[in-house]
Tab-separated table of all heavy atoms in Angstrom:
chain	number	residue	atom	x	y	z
O	1415	MET	N	86.965	88.927	125.818
O	1415	MET	CA	86.435	87.754	125.132
O	1415	MET	C	85.650	88.176	123.935
O	1415	MET	O	85.663	87.519	122.898
O	1415	MET	CB	85.632	86.998	126.140
O	1415	MET	CG	85.025	85.744	125.562
O	1415	MET	SD	86.301	84.625	125.035
O	1415	MET	CE	85.376	83.224	124.579
O	1416	HIS	N	84.900	89.275	124.003
O	1416	HIS	CA	84.060	89.721	122.827
O	1416	HIS	C	84.971	90.060	121.625
O	1416	HIS	O	84.561	89.835	120.508
O	1416	HIS	CB	83.175	90.903	123.203
O	1416	HIS	CG	82.127	90.520	124.198
O	1416	HIS	ND1	82.170	90.879	125.500
O	1416	HIS	CD2	81.009	89.787	124.022
O	1416	HIS	CE1	81.103	90.408	126.099
O	1416	HIS	NE2	80.387	89.760	125.236
O	1417	PHE	N	86.102	90.669	121.889
O	1417	PHE	CA	87.017	91.028	120.805
O	1417	PHE	C	87.508	89.784	120.086
O	1417	PHE	O	87.568	89.788	118.831
O	1417	PHE	CB	88.163	91.888	121.317
O	1417	PHE	CG	88.981	92.515	120.264
O	1417	PHE	CD1	88.436	93.560	119.503
O	1417	PHE	CD2	90.226	92.093	119.930
O	1417	PHE	CE1	89.165	94.208	118.506
O	1417	PHE	CE2	90.990	92.726	118.959
O	1417	PHE	CZ	90.442	93.757	118.230
O	1418	GLU	N	87.825	88.712	120.784
O	1418	GLU	CA	88.221	87.455	120.148
O	1418	GLU	C	87.135	86.886	119.294
O	1418	GLU	O	87.426	86.361	118.191
O	1418	GLU	CB	88.684	86.442	121.229
O	1418	GLU	CG	90.000	86.731	121.829
O	1418	GLU	CD	91.167	86.615	120.869
O	1418	GLU	OE1	91.176	85.715	120.031
O	1418	GLU	OE2	92.050	87.435	120.895
O	1419	LEU	N	85.886	86.989	119.765
O	1419	LEU	CA	84.765	86.517	118.942
O	1419	LEU	C	84.627	87.363	117.681
O	1419	LEU	O	84.333	86.806	116.597
O	1419	LEU	CB	83.475	86.587	119.732
O	1419	LEU	CG	83.390	85.569	120.925
O	1419	LEU	CD1	82.105	85.815	121.737
O	1419	LEU	CD2	83.472	84.145	120.450
O	1420	LEU	N	84.876	88.631	117.756
O	1420	LEU	CA	84.830	89.499	116.574
O	1420	LEU	C	85.923	89.064	115.595
O	1420	LEU	O	85.668	88.954	114.382
O	1420	LEU	CB	85.034	90.977	116.981
O	1420	LEU	CG	85.151	91.941	115.860
O	1420	LEU	CD1	83.920	92.081	115.033
O	1420	LEU	CD2	85.609	93.309	116.355
O	1421	LEU	N	87.119	88.822	116.119
O	1421	LEU	CA	88.233	88.415	115.215
O	1421	LEU	C	87.942	87.038	114.591
O	1421	LEU	O	88.242	86.816	113.412
O	1421	LEU	CB	89.534	88.358	115.989
O	1421	LEU	CG	90.027	89.716	116.533
O	1421	LEU	CD1	91.390	89.502	117.236
O	1421	LEU	CD2	90.163	90.721	115.442
O	1422	ASP	N	87.286	86.122	115.332
O	1422	ASP	CA	86.883	84.839	114.765
O	1422	ASP	C	85.934	85.032	113.604
O	1422	ASP	O	86.076	84.395	112.572
O	1422	ASP	CB	86.198	83.974	115.824
O	1422	ASP	CG	87.167	83.436	116.865
O	1422	ASP	OD1	88.413	83.456	116.623
O	1422	ASP	OD2	86.705	82.998	117.936
O	1423	ALA	N	84.992	85.959	113.790
O	1423	ALA	CA	83.993	86.181	112.711
O	1423	ALA	C	84.601	86.902	111.511
O	1423	ALA	O	84.248	86.578	110.362
O	1423	ALA	CB	82.865	87.023	113.270
O	1424	VAL	N	85.540	87.812	111.712
O	1424	VAL	CA	86.118	88.595	110.616
O	1424	VAL	C	87.227	87.851	109.928
O	1424	VAL	O	87.283	87.780	108.713
O	1424	VAL	CB	86.591	89.992	111.128
O	1424	VAL	CG1	87.353	90.725	110.056
O	1424	VAL	CG2	85.444	90.813	111.621
O	1425	PHE	N	88.163	87.343	110.696
O	1425	PHE	CA	89.382	86.673	110.118
O	1425	PHE	C	89.247	85.163	110.011
O	1425	PHE	O	89.942	84.604	109.147
O	1425	PHE	CB	90.626	86.982	111.018
O	1425	PHE	CG	90.979	88.438	111.066
O	1425	PHE	CD1	91.409	88.990	112.243
O	1425	PHE	CD2	90.867	89.301	109.972
O	1425	PHE	CE1	91.780	90.346	112.340
O	1425	PHE	CE2	91.247	90.605	110.013
O	1425	PHE	CZ	91.705	91.112	111.212
O	1426	GLY	N	88.483	84.567	110.848
O	1426	GLY	CA	88.434	83.115	110.821
O	1426	GLY	C	89.707	82.540	111.459
O	1426	GLY	O	90.343	83.142	112.347
O	1427	PRO	N	90.217	81.370	110.944
O	1427	PRO	CA	91.461	80.817	111.474
O	1427	PRO	C	92.582	81.754	111.254
O	1427	PRO	O	92.714	82.317	110.204
O	1427	PRO	CB	91.601	79.512	110.709
O	1427	PRO	CG	90.430	79.306	109.906
O	1427	PRO	CD	89.643	80.566	109.873
O	1428	ARG	N	93.451	81.887	112.273
O	1428	ARG	CA	94.555	82.841	112.183
O	1428	ARG	C	95.653	82.497	113.114
O	1428	ARG	O	95.485	81.794	114.107
O	1428	ARG	CB	94.057	84.295	112.480
O	1428	ARG	CG	93.580	84.414	113.892
O	1428	ARG	CD	92.823	85.710	114.086
O	1428	ARG	NE	92.318	85.828	115.403
O	1428	ARG	CZ	91.250	85.216	115.899
O	1428	ARG	NH1	90.529	84.426	115.080
O	1428	ARG	NH2	90.876	85.374	117.141
O	1429	GLU	N	96.855	82.951	112.786
O	1429	GLU	CA	98.017	82.797	113.632
O	1429	GLU	C	98.680	84.199	113.669
O	1429	GLU	O	98.621	84.965	112.683
O	1429	GLU	CB	99.046	81.829	113.048
O	1429	GLU	CG	98.532	80.412	113.080
O	1429	GLU	CD	99.524	79.445	112.482
O	1429	GLU	OE1	100.565	79.845	111.977
O	1429	GLU	OE2	99.215	78.226	112.441
O	1430	VAL	N	99.333	84.496	114.783
O	1430	VAL	CA	100.002	85.802	114.923
O	1430	VAL	C	101.308	85.724	114.104
O	1430	VAL	O	102.109	84.837	114.264
O	1430	VAL	CB	100.312	86.121	116.420
O	1430	VAL	CG1	101.128	87.385	116.536
O	1430	VAL	CG2	99.015	86.250	117.192
O	1431	LEU	N	101.471	86.752	113.265
O	1431	LEU	CA	102.693	86.902	112.495
O	1431	LEU	C	103.732	87.678	113.269
O	1431	LEU	O	104.858	87.265	113.466
O	1431	LEU	CB	102.430	87.570	111.162
O	1431	LEU	CG	103.610	87.882	110.270
O	1431	LEU	CD1	104.351	86.641	109.874
O	1431	LEU	CD2	103.163	88.684	109.037
O	1432	HIS	N	103.330	88.879	113.729
O	1432	HIS	CA	104.174	89.722	114.561
O	1432	HIS	C	103.298	90.830	115.186
O	1432	HIS	O	102.136	90.945	114.864
O	1432	HIS	CB	105.345	90.327	113.752
O	1432	HIS	CG	104.903	91.189	112.609
O	1432	HIS	ND1	104.629	92.514	112.728
O	1432	HIS	CD2	104.762	90.877	111.323
O	1432	HIS	CE1	104.267	93.023	111.548
O	1432	HIS	NE2	104.323	92.046	110.660
O	1433	ASP	N	103.932	91.612	116.034
O	1433	ASP	CA	103.224	92.766	116.616
O	1433	ASP	C	104.043	94.041	116.462
O	1433	ASP	O	105.256	94.026	116.330
O	1433	ASP	CB	102.877	92.530	118.095
O	1433	ASP	CG	104.079	92.421	119.000
O	1433	ASP	OD1	105.200	92.203	118.482
O	1433	ASP	OD2	103.932	92.568	120.206
O	1434	LEU	N	103.296	95.145	116.381
O	1434	LEU	CA	103.912	96.459	116.209
O	1434	LEU	C	103.129	97.423	117.148
O	1434	LEU	O	102.069	97.082	117.643
O	1434	LEU	CB	103.778	96.953	114.802
O	1434	LEU	CG	104.646	96.251	113.719
O	1434	LEU	CD1	104.293	96.808	112.370
O	1434	LEU	CD2	106.118	96.458	114.004
O	1435	GLU	N	103.612	98.594	117.234
O	1435	GLU	CA	102.889	99.661	117.970
O	1435	GLU	C	101.637	100.037	117.170
O	1435	GLU	O	101.705	100.245	116.007
O	1435	GLU	CB	103.779	100.857	118.173
O	1435	GLU	CG	103.107	101.956	118.953
O	1435	GLU	CD	104.031	103.137	119.165
O	1435	GLU	OE1	105.201	102.928	119.568
O	1435	GLU	OE2	103.615	104.275	118.942
O	1436	CYS	N	100.502	100.055	117.854
O	1436	CYS	CA	99.207	100.360	117.172
O	1436	CYS	C	99.258	101.768	116.621
O	1436	CYS	O	99.663	102.728	117.311
O	1436	CYS	CB	98.084	100.225	118.193
O	1436	CYS	SG	96.449	100.636	117.473
O	1437	THR	N	98.834	101.919	115.411
O	1437	THR	CA	98.809	103.226	114.754
O	1437	THR	C	97.695	104.129	115.289
O	1437	THR	O	97.706	105.346	115.076
O	1437	THR	CB	98.582	103.088	113.223
O	1437	THR	OG1	97.408	102.316	113.009
O	1437	THR	CG2	99.740	102.327	112.627
O	1438	VAL	N	96.751	103.507	116.052
O	1438	VAL	CA	95.634	104.325	116.570
O	1438	VAL	C	95.931	104.743	118.026
O	1438	VAL	O	95.839	105.902	118.374
O	1438	VAL	CB	94.325	103.540	116.508
O	1438	VAL	CG1	93.184	104.291	117.147
O	1438	VAL	CG2	94.015	103.171	115.070
O	1439	CYS	N	96.286	103.778	118.896
O	1439	CYS	CA	96.396	104.069	120.336
O	1439	CYS	C	97.791	103.931	120.936
O	1439	CYS	O	98.038	104.345	122.037
O	1439	CYS	CB	95.415	103.178	121.114
O	1439	CYS	SG	95.874	101.465	121.184
O	1440	GLY	N	98.738	103.295	120.189
O	1440	GLY	CA	100.073	103.141	120.646
O	1440	GLY	C	100.337	101.850	121.408
O	1440	GLY	O	101.475	101.582	121.772
O	1441	HIS	N	99.363	101.029	121.690
O	1441	HIS	CA	99.555	99.766	122.328
O	1441	HIS	C	99.966	98.683	121.266
O	1441	HIS	O	100.162	99.007	120.149
O	1441	HIS	CB	98.299	99.310	123.095
O	1441	HIS	CG	98.110	100.110	124.340
O	1441	HIS	ND1	97.452	101.340	124.333
O	1441	HIS	CD2	98.517	99.935	125.607
O	1441	HIS	CE1	97.446	101.839	125.539
O	1441	HIS	NE2	98.065	100.985	126.354
O	1442	ASN	N	99.996	97.449	121.681
O	1442	ASN	CA	100.381	96.375	120.736
O	1442	ASN	C	99.279	96.059	119.729
O	1442	ASN	O	98.129	95.810	120.105
O	1442	ASN	CB	100.762	95.084	121.478
O	1442	ASN	CG	102.092	95.198	122.140
O	1442	ASN	OD1	102.880	96.047	121.819
O	1442	ASN	ND2	102.365	94.271	123.053
O	1443	GLU	N	99.674	96.065	118.464
O	1443	GLU	CA	98.789	95.707	117.378
O	1443	GLU	C	99.293	94.409	116.766
O	1443	GLU	O	100.501	94.350	116.457
O	1443	GLU	CB	98.811	96.842	116.342
O	1443	GLU	CG	97.994	96.602	115.119
O	1443	GLU	CD	98.091	97.833	114.183
O	1443	GLU	OE1	99.154	98.023	113.596
O	1443	GLU	OE2	97.092	98.536	114.111
O	1444	LEU	N	98.475	93.425	116.649
O	1444	LEU	CA	98.885	92.109	116.152
O	1444	LEU	C	98.552	91.983	114.681
O	1444	LEU	O	97.450	92.332	114.258
O	1444	LEU	CB	98.205	91.017	116.940
O	1444	LEU	CG	98.500	90.952	118.444
O	1444	LEU	CD1	97.674	89.843	119.099
O	1444	LEU	CD2	99.987	90.756	118.740
O	1445	TYR	N	99.501	91.422	113.932
O	1445	TYR	CA	99.293	91.141	112.513
O	1445	TYR	C	99.072	89.621	112.415
O	1445	TYR	O	99.807	88.847	113.026
O	1445	TYR	CB	100.492	91.563	111.671
O	1445	TYR	CG	100.539	93.047	111.420
O	1445	TYR	CD1	100.850	93.928	112.424
O	1445	TYR	CD2	100.232	93.550	110.172
O	1445	TYR	CE1	100.849	95.294	112.202
O	1445	TYR	CE2	100.256	94.917	109.922
O	1445	TYR	CZ	100.521	95.787	110.968
O	1445	TYR	OH	100.539	97.101	110.721
O	1446	TYR	N	98.101	89.208	111.600
O	1446	TYR	CA	97.710	87.812	111.505
O	1446	TYR	C	97.913	87.269	110.102
O	1446	TYR	O	97.791	87.985	109.152
O	1446	TYR	CB	96.220	87.661	111.859
O	1446	TYR	CG	95.909	88.029	113.271
O	1446	TYR	CD1	95.324	89.271	113.556
O	1446	TYR	CD2	96.172	87.161	114.329
O	1446	TYR	CE1	95.045	89.638	114.864
O	1446	TYR	CE2	95.886	87.526	115.594
O	1446	TYR	CZ	95.289	88.726	115.891
O	1446	TYR	OH	95.025	89.090	117.190
O	1447	ILE	N	98.222	85.956	110.077
O	1447	ILE	CA	98.290	85.222	108.801
O	1447	ILE	C	97.342	84.064	108.833
O	1447	ILE	O	96.929	83.623	109.945
O	1447	ILE	CB	99.724	84.705	108.535
O	1447	ILE	CG1	100.192	83.737	109.615
O	1447	ILE	CG2	100.707	85.802	108.269
O	1447	ILE	CD1	101.476	83.010	109.299
O	1448	HIS	N	96.923	83.605	107.690
O	1448	HIS	CA	96.090	82.430	107.621
O	1448	HIS	C	96.965	81.185	107.821
O	1448	HIS	O	98.028	81.101	107.204
O	1448	HIS	CB	95.406	82.351	106.255
O	1448	HIS	CG	94.371	81.306	106.188
O	1448	HIS	ND1	94.646	80.001	105.890
O	1448	HIS	CD2	93.034	81.365	106.406
O	1448	HIS	CE1	93.514	79.318	105.902
O	1448	HIS	NE2	92.545	80.094	106.231
O	1449	PRO	N	96.586	80.267	108.690
O	1449	PRO	CA	97.486	79.132	109.008
O	1449	PRO	C	97.811	78.225	107.851
O	1449	PRO	O	98.873	77.646	107.844
O	1449	PRO	CB	96.732	78.386	110.131
O	1449	PRO	CG	95.365	78.951	110.191
O	1449	PRO	CD	95.380	80.226	109.447
O	1450	GLN	N	96.905	78.022	106.918
O	1450	GLN	CA	97.182	77.141	105.785
O	1450	GLN	C	97.874	77.834	104.624
O	1450	GLN	O	98.785	77.226	104.022
O	1450	GLN	CB	95.859	76.497	105.266
O	1450	GLN	CG	95.369	75.344	106.081
O	1450	GLN	CD	94.604	75.823	107.325
O	1450	GLN	OE1	93.951	76.818	107.315
O	1450	GLN	NE2	94.739	75.068	108.401
O	1451	THR	N	97.514	79.078	104.305
O	1451	THR	CA	98.089	79.704	103.144
O	1451	THR	C	99.322	80.589	103.509
O	1451	THR	O	100.133	80.857	102.615
O	1451	THR	CB	97.050	80.637	102.488
O	1451	THR	OG1	96.716	81.715	103.387
O	1451	THR	CG2	95.797	79.884	102.068
O	1452	GLY	N	99.428	80.999	104.728
O	1452	GLY	CA	100.536	81.837	105.115
O	1452	GLY	C	100.418	83.310	104.654
O	1452	GLY	O	101.333	84.077	104.844
O	1453	LYS	N	99.275	83.637	104.093
O	1453	LYS	CA	99.045	85.001	103.634
O	1453	LYS	C	98.622	85.867	104.794
O	1453	LYS	O	97.861	85.414	105.658
O	1453	LYS	CB	97.967	85.080	102.543
O	1453	LYS	CG	98.411	84.451	101.221
O	1453	LYS	CD	97.376	84.689	100.171
O	1453	LYS	CE	97.824	84.149	98.832
O	1453	LYS	NZ	96.835	84.428	97.799
O	1454	GLN	N	99.057	87.135	104.776
O	1454	GLN	CA	98.583	88.078	105.784
O	1454	GLN	C	97.077	88.335	105.572
O	1454	GLN	O	96.645	88.605	104.451
O	1454	GLN	CB	99.352	89.393	105.709
O	1454	GLN	CG	100.746	89.308	106.178
O	1454	GLN	CD	101.391	90.671	106.315
O	1454	GLN	OE1	100.733	91.660	106.653
O	1454	GLN	NE2	102.654	90.735	106.066
O	1455	ILE	N	96.361	88.300	106.633
O	1455	ILE	CA	94.885	88.458	106.531
O	1455	ILE	C	94.390	89.702	107.254
O	1455	ILE	O	93.256	90.125	107.033
O	1455	ILE	CB	94.116	87.234	106.988
O	1455	ILE	CG1	94.487	86.863	108.430
O	1455	ILE	CG2	94.335	86.069	106.066
O	1455	ILE	CD1	93.664	85.724	109.052
O	1456	GLY	N	95.176	90.284	108.102
O	1456	GLY	CA	94.732	91.490	108.809
O	1456	GLY	C	95.564	91.826	110.032
O	1456	GLY	O	96.564	91.210	110.324
O	1457	ARG	N	95.105	92.878	110.688
O	1457	ARG	CA	95.749	93.354	111.876
O	1457	ARG	C	94.648	93.807	112.875
O	1457	ARG	O	93.550	94.157	112.486
O	1457	ARG	CB	96.696	94.495	111.621
O	1457	ARG	CG	96.015	95.703	111.009
O	1457	ARG	CD	97.015	96.747	110.598
O	1457	ARG	NE	96.382	97.869	109.963
O	1457	ARG	CZ	96.865	99.067	109.935
O	1457	ARG	NH1	98.001	99.352	110.541
O	1457	ARG	NH2	96.191	100.054	109.369
O	1458	ALA	N	94.970	93.785	114.183
O	1458	ALA	CA	93.994	94.165	115.181
O	1458	ALA	C	94.690	94.584	116.482
O	1458	ALA	O	95.751	94.100	116.842
O	1458	ALA	CB	93.082	92.981	115.458
O	1459	CYS	N	93.998	95.527	117.174
O	1459	CYS	CA	94.483	95.949	118.492
O	1459	CYS	C	93.313	95.832	119.476
O	1459	CYS	O	92.288	96.505	119.308
O	1459	CYS	CB	94.968	97.374	118.438
O	1459	CYS	SG	95.404	98.112	120.065
O	1460	GLU	N	93.460	94.971	120.454
O	1460	GLU	CA	92.388	94.770	121.421
O	1460	GLU	C	92.197	95.976	122.330
O	1460	GLU	O	91.118	96.233	122.822
O	1460	GLU	CB	92.708	93.527	122.259
O	1460	GLU	CG	91.558	93.131	123.165
O	1460	GLU	CD	91.784	91.771	123.842
O	1460	GLU	OE1	92.838	91.208	123.694
O	1460	GLU	OE2	90.832	91.327	124.504
O	1461	GLU	N	93.254	96.756	122.550
O	1461	GLU	CA	93.171	97.904	123.462
O	1461	GLU	C	92.179	98.944	122.964
O	1461	GLU	O	91.362	99.457	123.727
O	1461	GLU	CB	94.572	98.544	123.634
O	1461	GLU	CG	94.590	99.670	124.610
O	1461	GLU	CD	94.361	99.220	126.033
O	1461	GLU	OE1	94.674	98.084	126.439
O	1461	GLU	OE2	93.846	100.054	126.852
O	1462	CYS	N	92.209	99.249	121.637
O	1462	CYS	CA	91.335	100.274	121.129
O	1462	CYS	C	90.220	99.730	120.204
O	1462	CYS	O	89.493	100.483	119.603
O	1462	CYS	CB	92.120	101.368	120.403
O	1462	CYS	SG	93.000	100.770	118.915
O	1463	ASN	N	90.162	98.405	120.139
O	1463	ASN	CA	89.159	97.692	119.328
O	1463	ASN	C	89.296	98.020	117.812
O	1463	ASN	O	88.315	97.945	117.075
O	1463	ASN	CB	87.727	97.986	119.806
O	1463	ASN	CG	87.485	97.380	121.158
O	1463	ASN	OD1	87.860	96.252	121.396
O	1463	ASN	ND2	86.830	98.107	122.019
O	1464	PHE	N	90.467	98.302	117.396
O	1464	PHE	CA	90.720	98.589	115.955
O	1464	PHE	C	91.039	97.242	115.272
O	1464	PHE	O	91.769	96.435	115.786
O	1464	PHE	CB	91.906	99.531	115.774
O	1464	PHE	CG	92.388	99.623	114.387
O	1464	PHE	CD1	91.749	100.411	113.446
O	1464	PHE	CD2	93.572	98.953	113.994
O	1464	PHE	CE1	92.201	100.499	112.142
O	1464	PHE	CE2	94.012	99.046	112.671
O	1464	PHE	CZ	93.361	99.816	111.752
O	1465	PHE	N	90.501	97.048	114.060
O	1465	PHE	CA	90.936	95.920	113.264
O	1465	PHE	C	90.826	96.277	111.802
O	1465	PHE	O	90.054	97.167	111.418
O	1465	PHE	CB	90.140	94.649	113.565
O	1465	PHE	CG	88.706	94.701	113.148
O	1465	PHE	CD1	88.324	94.246	111.913
O	1465	PHE	CD2	87.704	95.232	113.975
O	1465	PHE	CE1	86.999	94.305	111.479
O	1465	PHE	CE2	86.406	95.264	113.605
O	1465	PHE	CZ	86.040	94.837	112.341
O	1466	GLN	N	91.608	95.614	110.995
O	1466	GLN	CA	91.549	95.812	109.512
O	1466	GLN	C	91.790	94.471	108.857
O	1466	GLN	O	92.787	93.771	109.176
O	1466	GLN	CB	92.676	96.782	109.117
O	1466	GLN	CG	92.719	97.000	107.614
O	1466	GLN	CD	93.873	97.914	107.156
O	1466	GLN	OE1	94.787	98.180	107.908
O	1466	GLN	NE2	93.849	98.289	105.930
O	1467	LYS	N	90.884	94.118	108.007
O	1467	LYS	CA	91.014	92.890	107.236
O	1467	LYS	C	91.695	93.236	105.900
O	1467	LYS	O	91.276	94.215	105.220
O	1467	LYS	CB	89.664	92.230	106.980
O	1467	LYS	CG	89.758	90.914	106.260
O	1467	LYS	CD	88.447	90.218	106.161
O	1467	LYS	CE	88.631	88.892	105.440
O	1467	LYS	NZ	87.386	88.155	105.326
O	1468	PHE	N	92.738	92.536	105.521
O	1468	PHE	CA	93.444	92.733	104.262
O	1468	PHE	C	92.762	91.970	103.137
O	1468	PHE	O	92.524	90.785	103.301
O	1468	PHE	CB	94.891	92.346	104.366
O	1468	PHE	CG	95.695	93.092	105.399
O	1468	PHE	CD1	96.729	92.455	106.001
O	1468	PHE	CD2	95.434	94.409	105.746
O	1468	PHE	CE1	97.491	93.122	106.963
O	1468	PHE	CE2	96.187	95.051	106.677
O	1468	PHE	CZ	97.218	94.433	107.311
O	1469	ASP	N	92.509	92.632	102.046
O	1469	ASP	CA	92.064	91.963	100.841
O	1469	ASP	C	93.308	91.604	100.047
O	1469	ASP	O	94.357	92.158	100.298
O	1469	ASP	CB	91.163	92.866	99.989
O	1469	ASP	CG	89.805	93.134	100.638
O	1469	ASP	OD1	89.311	92.266	101.354
O	1469	ASP	OD2	89.298	94.222	100.427
O	1470	ASP	N	93.182	90.714	99.094
O	1470	ASP	CA	94.342	90.368	98.247
O	1470	ASP	C	94.816	91.622	97.546
O	1470	ASP	O	96.060	91.809	97.331
O	1470	ASP	CB	93.964	89.298	97.208
O	1470	ASP	CG	93.839	87.928	97.835
O	1470	ASP	OD1	94.438	87.713	98.915
O	1470	ASP	OD2	93.120	87.122	97.276
O	1471	ASN	N	93.963	92.554	97.178
O	1471	ASN	CA	94.341	93.779	96.471
O	1471	ASN	C	95.166	94.713	97.387
O	1471	ASN	O	95.946	95.524	96.904
O	1471	ASN	CB	93.146	94.503	95.949
O	1471	ASN	CG	92.449	93.716	94.862
O	1471	ASN	OD1	93.070	92.865	94.198
O	1471	ASN	ND2	91.185	93.974	94.677
O	1472	ASP	N	94.925	94.644	98.736
O	1472	ASP	CA	95.635	95.495	99.634
O	1472	ASP	C	97.149	95.196	99.707
O	1472	ASP	O	97.946	96.045	99.958
O	1472	ASP	CB	95.120	95.336	101.112
O	1472	ASP	CG	93.707	95.899	101.287
O	1472	ASP	OD1	93.272	96.669	100.381
O	1472	ASP	OD2	93.033	95.550	102.231
O	1473	MET	N	97.536	93.987	99.370
O	1473	MET	CA	98.925	93.550	99.411
O	1473	MET	C	99.667	93.869	98.123
O	1473	MET	O	100.884	93.818	98.062
O	1473	MET	CB	99.020	92.066	99.757
O	1473	MET	CG	98.501	91.739	101.093
O	1473	MET	SD	99.637	92.371	102.323
O	1473	MET	CE	98.559	93.266	103.397
O	1474	ASP	N	98.959	94.184	97.042
O	1474	ASP	CA	99.619	94.519	95.766
O	1474	ASP	C	100.052	95.955	95.757
O	1474	ASP	O	99.240	96.827	95.931
O	1474	ASP	CB	98.646	94.281	94.612
O	1474	ASP	CG	98.261	92.822	94.470
O	1474	ASP	OD1	98.996	91.948	94.924
O	1474	ASP	OD2	97.171	92.531	93.905
O	1475	LEU	N	101.337	96.151	95.574
O	1475	LEU	CA	101.889	97.511	95.502
O	1475	LEU	C	102.362	97.839	94.094
O	1475	LEU	O	102.789	97.030	93.344
O	1475	LEU	CB	102.965	97.707	96.502
O	1475	LEU	CG	102.595	97.553	97.979
O	1475	LEU	CD1	103.826	97.694	98.830
O	1475	LEU	CD2	101.567	98.578	98.350
């Protein structure tokens, strides 16, 4: 439950886009999008408490 509260504070409203193998621990890592804009906002793994918030600059390659 605490991890969900952390994600609420960091990401705010979110929907799951997809999941992949976590780059840190190997369990499921979820990628999130903002429900209104559809932009990717971050990724998180509840198993190892890893999360990363994406800035708009992170998506520019």
